[in-house]
Amino acid sequence: MTPNASETTVETRGFHDKGPQARQVLETVGESFLTGLGDAVETGSPAATDERLAALPVRYQGFAYEGAAMGFALLDGLLPGSRRTAAFLRGPGAAHVYMAYVGIGWAMARLPRPLWPDLRGLDPLLRWLVHDGYGFHQAYFHTDKYVHRQARDPRAARWTGDGAYALRAADQGIGRALWFVGGTDPDQVTGMVERFPASRRPDLYAGVGLAATYAGGADEAELHRLRERAGTYRGSLAQGGAFAAEARIRAGLLVSHTELGAAVLCGTDAQSAARTSRELRPDAAGTEDDTAYPRYEVWRAALARELAPREGGLA
């Protein structure tokens, strides 16, 4: 149920290899994720895992907490009575909630259906990130089917009862995975996006923008190229970049490549992008009026509209 370390190398995955710098970034992301996963499964303790992960480099720490969330969700599925995920989210995982929810989605992709985590106790606005994580996993590990053949996996949407929007949230995760599959090369990545149906591209570009800003791996000229090639989807790209800035700032993990990503893709600095995301965030309480267009999508759409008119290039 847990990936082997060799499964996260660019060569094993068959991803585009842009060069040693990008390859090191992407493979260190994978190694960091597996470190968090391994520590969570080994210790079974959110507090002990936090002590270990807090010492990791700032750039890669968030990915380790993502892996830890996967590990605790796996333990909850396999061990009767285990409530480690909830304890993790209340404690050390709270600051990393964006990444933690994504990690729960990874666990769903690995566990048999009867052992899936119960999503009802999660933040009703951010819980869609679980489907994002599910989509990322499928595109990362089953690339031919979900990237090159543009298939969709409806199981999470159906089995959670989250319906059609869950597929859109999964596409946002697939978009994040494209940044890895394309080796952080903007021409490779946008070329893959453009092979998907037009209706799926806004969500895919949002995921690309998030990964480019959170994980990094591209220089300023490449980010400008990404923005240029996104064309009418620049707002979606910027929305993803703003989410990445907020995720890093909330966790105290702001780094230079996130500042660069926000400047080019969002047309502002990371702090301002994150603040705009927080200001536009709707109240998550109550019943969704439209399950095909939940408040999470209202939030994303408002953020894309707000950032789309801005010209990138502040860096």
Side-chain angles (χ1 to χ4, degrees):
M1 290 187 185
T2 57
N4 185 278
S6 64
E7 290 187 57
T8 62
T9 66
V10 169
E11 182 180 10
T12 299
R13 298 257 53 84
F15 294 166
H16 176 68
D17 190 345
K18 190 177 76 176
Q21 255 188 320
R23 184 170 63 250
Q24 181 183 30
V25 168
L26 297 181
E27 292 184 348
T28 307
V29 166
E31 291 167 5
S32 302
F33 180 95
L34 293 176
T35 294
L37 170 62
D39 285 353
V41 171
E42 179 185 344
T43 68
S45 164
T49 298
D50 182 49
E51 286 182 14
R52 295 185 179 192
L53 301 187
L56 293 177
V58 168
R59 176 166 189 165
Y60 299 104
Q61 200 177 112
F63 300 103
Y65 280 85
E66 178 186 355
M70 178 189 179
F72 291 128
L74 289 175
L75 291 175
D76 286 353
L78 296 169
L79 302 177
S82 173
R83 297 291 184 270
R84 289 172 172 84
T85 306
F88 180 66
L89 292 172
R90 286 194 307 270
H96 305 272
V97 64
Y98 285 81
M99 302 299 282
Y101 278 24
V102 166
I104 294 171
W106 276 64
M108 281 171 46
R110 293 272 169 162
L111 286 167
R113 170 64 187 95
L115 303 182
W116 275 18
D118 185 351
L119 307 185
R120 290 174 295 181
L122 301 183
D123 182 306
L125 193 65
L126 296 181
R127 68 191 298 276
W128 297 105
L129 289 166
V130 174
H131 292 283
D132 181 308
Y134 187 89
F136 181 98
H137 177 281
Q138 299 303 75
Y140 187 93
F141 289 105
H142 308 288
T143 307
D144 182 63
K145 182 175 182 179
Y146 295 106
V147 174
H148 301 310
R149 289 189 277 138
Q150 296 93 43
R152 291 183 118 161
D153 183 347
R155 291 175 296 179
R158 183 173 64 246
W159 292 342
T160 60
D162 284 337
Y165 190 77
L167 291 174
R168 291 195 55 188
D171 272 354
Q172 293 151 34
I174 291 173
R176 285 193 304 111
L178 293 181
W179 189 245
F180 290 74
V181 177
T184 79
D185 183 315
D187 294 316
Q188 290 282 331
V189 174
T190 56
M192 286 185 287
V193 174
E194 295 305 313
R195 287 192 282 274
F196 280 79
S199 61
R200 299 179 65 182
R201 292 174 198 166
D203 292 317
L204 295 169
Y205 269 115
V208 170
L210 199 157
T213 308
Y214 193 97
D219 61 25
E220 184 177 354
E222 289 173 319
L223 289 172
H224 278 290
R225 177 68 173 156
L226 173 64
R227 189 173 188 274
E228 174 191 344
R229 290 204 51 163
T232 58
Y233 303 108
R234 288 177 180 175
S236 297
L237 201 64
Q239 177 267 302
F243 267 27
E246 166 62 2
R248 279 203 171 269
I249 287 169
R250 176 172 176 152
L253 302 177
L254 184 59
V255 288
S256 59
H257 72 256
T258 298
E259 285 284 14
L260 178 62
V264 176
L265 303 185
C266 304
T268 188
D269 61 272
Q271 291 285 354
S272 296
R275 183 169 58 252
T276 301
S277 177
R278 292 192 299 272
E279 289 172 350
L280 292 176
R281 175 176 170 152
D283 183 1
T287 304
E288 296 285 3
D289 297 323
D290 183 353
T291 55
Y293 202 78
R295 277 182 288 271
Y296 182 72
E297 179 56 26
V298 173
W299 180 22
R300 294 178 62 250
L303 190 52
R305 287 193 301 271
E306 175 67 21
L307 297 175
R310 302 184 184 184
E311 287 300 322
L314 295 184

